[in-house]
Amino acid sequence: AGFYGAGEFYIVKSDTVTIQGRFKGTRFTAGLAAINKVVVGGPFLQGHRIEVGCLEDDDFAVDDFQLRAFPSVYQLQDVGAVINYTSEGAVVDKATEPWDKHIVRMALPLGVRLEVFRWVNYVDVRLTMPRQPNQDGVCSNFNNATADDSTEAIYTRIGARVPQGELLFKHHMPISVTPTEEQLLKVCPAERISWAKAECTKSFGNLRRSPSTAEVKLCMLDICYGDEENLLAKAKSLGFVPDMFFK
């Protein structure tokens, strides 16, 4: 499943563990979204909240206490969590290997292991964990049935974005549709775009308000192109991305 529109998503939604991600476009991706920040909470942390953003945002906090020292180790002794901030570790994307590494490595309760690689304007994430009760989200529902791991299937089950009442971030970020995203929507087949609009309208039912035009369009983008492994490359091949984005 692919998620290219901006907004706040459930990476993991379960009865015990909650991990949310803020997906945001960058100037290097022509506005198509990458993970900008993650936040961890839920009953397994007993009220604690861990937030890690990209270097540009300068946001790495535990219970709103900003962690600045690098390298460093931070412990939440009441829940047995250990957070290492280090430059040592194998990267998710080999293309980032030459870059200076700022890795937040979390050993959390219930066997949850989360690594967040902080780059200038986005983060990479590596997550390993046992399946939790009623688990779903961007990382799938772990039911060993790949047929229901599509973007639209996930949206149908848990909604297209995290509603305000469930948000671990302090606020929703403002979103807009970029020129590249508008062009991609225009070339999505008519049958699929019509179906995507209907699905997205239903998927925003959990917001308890009418979604904005931008929210619906970005949801439609996700459904239209959720099967694409590299939508940026496709957009470039269609002439929707100026060469400046690749320099």
Side-chain angles (χ1 to χ4, degrees), residues 135-170:
Q135 182 171 337
D136 215 321
V138 170
C139 286
S140 87
N141 56 9
F142 286 87
N143 66 349
N144 296 315
T146 57
D148 65 5
D149 288 341
S150 66
T151 303
E152 56 264 39
I154 293 169
Y155 283 179
T156 297
R157 292 194 300 268
I158 65 170
R161 299 293 188 273
V162 179
Q164 182 63 45
E166 300 173 19
L167 194 68
L168 292 180
F169 294 105
K170 292 183 177 179

Side-chain angles (χ1 to χ4, degrees), residues 5-9 21-24 33 161 173 175 218:
E8 288 82 20
F9 295 76
R22 173 166 288 161
F23 290 35
K24 184 178 179 181
R161 299 293 188 273
M173 71 173 184
I175 62 170
L218 292 175

Side-chain angles (χ1 to χ4, degrees), residues 25-93:
T26 77
R27 66 185 182 90
F28 298 106
T29 59
L32 296 173
I35 303 177
N36 171 266
K37 187 179 294 187
V38 297
V39 60
V40 187
F44 86 130
L45 287 186
Q46 298 178 25
H48 292 294
R49 177 177 164 278
I50 305 167
E51 187 168 343
V52 186
C54 64
L55 295 173
E56 193 172 69
D57 283 3
D58 192 28
D59 194 1
F60 172 25
V62 176
D63 299 334
D64 295 327
F65 177 78
Q66 292 290 331
L67 304 181
R68 305 291 188 190
F70 176 77
S72 61
V73 178
Y74 189 88
Q75 297 186 42
L76 291 172
Q77 295 183 347
D78 57 331
V79 294
V82 179
I83 304 167
N84 278 280
Y85 192 22
T86 177
S87 61
E88 302 296 326
V91 296
V92 173
D93 181 356

